[in-house]
Amino acid sequence: MSTLLDVEAVGVSFGGTHALVEADLTVLEGELHAVIGPNGSGKSTLLNVISRLITPQRGRVRFRGQDLLDRSSHTLASQGVARVFQTPVMFAGLTAFENILVGMQPQLRGGFWRDLLRLPASRRADVKARDAVEALAERLEIPRQQLDLRADALTFVQQRRIELARALAADPELLLLDEPAGGLNSAEIVRFRELIQSLRDDRLTIVLVEHNVRFVRETADRVTVLDHGSVLATGGTDVFSDDRVVSVYIGGRGAVERRDGDA
Amino acid sequence: MAPVQTEFTPAAAASDVRTPESRRLGRPVVHVLWLALLLPYLLGPVPLFKVTSVVLLILVAIGYNLIIGYAGQFVVVSAAVMGVGAYATAFFMGHWGLAVLPAILLAACLSGGLGALTGLLTVRLSGIYLALMSVGLAEAAGIVMERWTAVTGGENGLAVTGISIAGQSPPSPVAMYTLVLVFTALGILVSWLLVSGQWGRLLKAVAHNELAARSAGIDVEATKRTVLVVGFFYFGLAGGLSAIVNGFLAPDDFSLTVAINHLAMVVIGGMGTFIGPILGAIVVGGIPQLLSFSKGYETVLFAAAVFFVVIFVPEGLAAGPRRLWRSLRRNIALRAAAVRGSQP
């Protein structure tokens, strides 16, 4: 498998605090790669660097061999990088369906002139986009009647799926997921895990930031463990038996299991 | 109704027939347009003149609705930009000898260009900083209108010369009404095309969360700039038309107070809805005309109406009577409970 995303020696500091120090991350095409670590270890900062919401002071981020740091964040979606936030962000005032349509922007290229003129080609594209949204909703098991509701009126769990659909609408190659298991109960976690794995089976590369160890152990192909902004270990899910990794989780196996329980 | 007829409604022209608003509104809007065409035969010249100045306000309300209601960019510049459009129209006609139509369109384009400039200045600002910046710009424009006497006539005002519509000079109230109605109908149609398509969704996405909008592939800065250009174009167009309709311009017509009145139209009508600003302009613009017998009291009544809407029916008139009634009852109950000191 070839490398899809290559993060090299990235350093980020806010004021005097070092959020990331020489952090590396190599994500192979088609894998489900988890980034794990305790709170404050730099997981979300790393995700923000990859999605260009934070510009690092040092280091390089390459996607398909091209430097991502040259590009502004809004172009990433059309480059094939999509992002799901830790707390679902619904565009209030739009229906769930419209929220997903917004995610189609890289293909639709909606804008002032396009929507003013409504040329036949763009109207055909609109129809195609609507069909694509419906297909996507079906794929993610979003009930049809939910799509016409205002997105901000949906439950947390429903919003999470809508947001995932919005991210997938751009037909990305790389999906960045920020704590997808957070706020879900155990049954929902199982369903979400199956969904994420089925996306991976469809050749989507996924980077998953999570601190629920059990979720990661059962979901990921490879794991990178962050601590204090740098990489502690990287490898298969067997990294969890690494003593250094265990000690980061407050010094022992028991602590790891407790963390599983409260997530 | 024959199914063929739906072909001609704005709702059918738009691809987005899914939003409830588009389903509810296509036909009523067309009926209102027919009624508007009949008004010159029903009203005398003085009432028709009043109706004309109300119809013109719809363009201002649409401009605000795009910028604030959809894109969430809080700027209070409508009156100042209208002033630019109005004085520019007068200038183009008086000094360059342009006819009414090209003068108005050129003035509207100039106003749109001003929107682009404003966008460059304010692109990094949002919320209260953007609002303050816009107040500053509006005040600056007001000072220019007062001092640049060679073009604006200053405090003494400026009589617009060379007004001629279809060979009538000065034009009849019917001609002026028709001119304003045509521009307003076009303005409504354009705003419909814009807000019912992907662009309208992008505006709301930008208004709600810029980071998430960026992640979804939206060029947030370009979208904000464009909406300012479009909104300012609407303001400038309204200003140009007001120059023709009133025939006389004074800096006071374009003060911050006037801009705040304009803002009230959008709030009362319902921000971020297609129909809201149209209703708001008719109601807020029309009520003072009807109340003009109670000189002085209309401002008080008007302020009371704004308070009432903001507190009890924040959705605005666009919500429709049934939802307004429900919202009113719920909000009264909530406030009564809060006053009693208990949670409902």
Side-chain angles (χ1 to χ4, degrees), chain A residues 22-243:
Chain A
E22 301 273 305
D24 298 313
L25 176 71
T26 306
V27 179
L28 304 178
E29 212 173 318
E31 76 170 345
L32 207 166
H33 194 119
V35 177
I36 194 161
N39 284 331
S41 60
K43 306 183 297 281
S44 292
T45 307
L46 183 60
L47 215 56
N48 285 336
V49 166
I50 299 168
S51 52
R52 292 294 291 115
L53 299 181
I54 291 177
T55 301
Q57 282 90 354
R58 285 173 302 281
R60 271 206 300 205
V61 179
R62 276 177 298 186
F63 177 72
R64 291 205 163 286
Q66 291 177 322
D67 198 343
L68 273 193
L69 298 181
D70 290 347
R71 307 180 187 277
S72 52
S73 52
H74 76 267
T75 60
L76 287 197
S78 53
Q79 294 283 310
V81 182
R83 156 106 198 234
V84 170
F85 289 86
Q86 190 171 350
T87 316
V89 181
M90 292 291 102
F91 297 130
L94 297 180
T95 64
F97 192 93
E98 291 171 319
N99 261 273
I100 305 174
L101 270 179
V102 169
M104 293 252 164
Q105 177 60 9
Q107 296 100 299
L108 277 179
R109 303 187 169 279
F112 173 77
W113 290 112
R114 180 191 181 280
D115 287 309
L116 183 66
L117 300 176
R118 301 274 168 118
L119 297 175
S122 63
R123 296 187 65 169
R124 277 197 299 276
D126 279 348
V127 172
K128 252 173 78 180
R130 283 172 183 284
D131 293 344
V133 170
E134 280 180 11
L136 197 56
E138 203 169 313
R139 169 86 171 81
L140 299 185
E141 293 164 18
I142 300 166
R144 189 68 196 77
Q145 67 273 19
Q146 225 178 70
L147 292 177
D148 287 338
L149 299 176
R150 277 180 61 126
D152 48 329
L154 298 175
T155 66
F156 185 85
V157 182
Q158 291 166 340
Q159 288 190 1
R160 182 140 272 173
R161 266 175 204 262
I162 301 294
E163 198 186 26
L164 183 60
R166 192 174 69 210
L168 293 175
D171 200 13
E173 289 174 85
L174 175 67
L175 177 66
L176 307 171
L177 290 174
D178 198 352
E179 308 219 0
L184 301 183
N185 68 34
S186 48
E188 289 156 1
I189 288 181
V190 171
R191 286 175 58 196
F192 215 78
R193 191 183 65 219
E194 286 168 0
L195 180 61
I196 292 170
Q197 285 175 325
S198 80
L199 291 173
R200 189 265 325 269
D201 295 341
D202 288 350
R203 304 286 304 149
L204 179 66
T205 310
I206 298 171
V207 172
L208 174 78
V209 160
E210 187 55 72
H211 64 213
N212 181 337
V213 173
R214 182 187 290 162
F215 185 81
V216 167
R217 209 154 38 189
E218 291 170 354
T219 315
D221 301 318
R222 291 205 311 142
V223 181
T224 294
V225 184
L226 284 183
D227 188 38
H228 293 297
S230 46
V231 176
L232 197 65
T234 187
T237 45
D238 53 350
V239 294
F240 290 113
S241 49
D242 188 318
D243 283 345

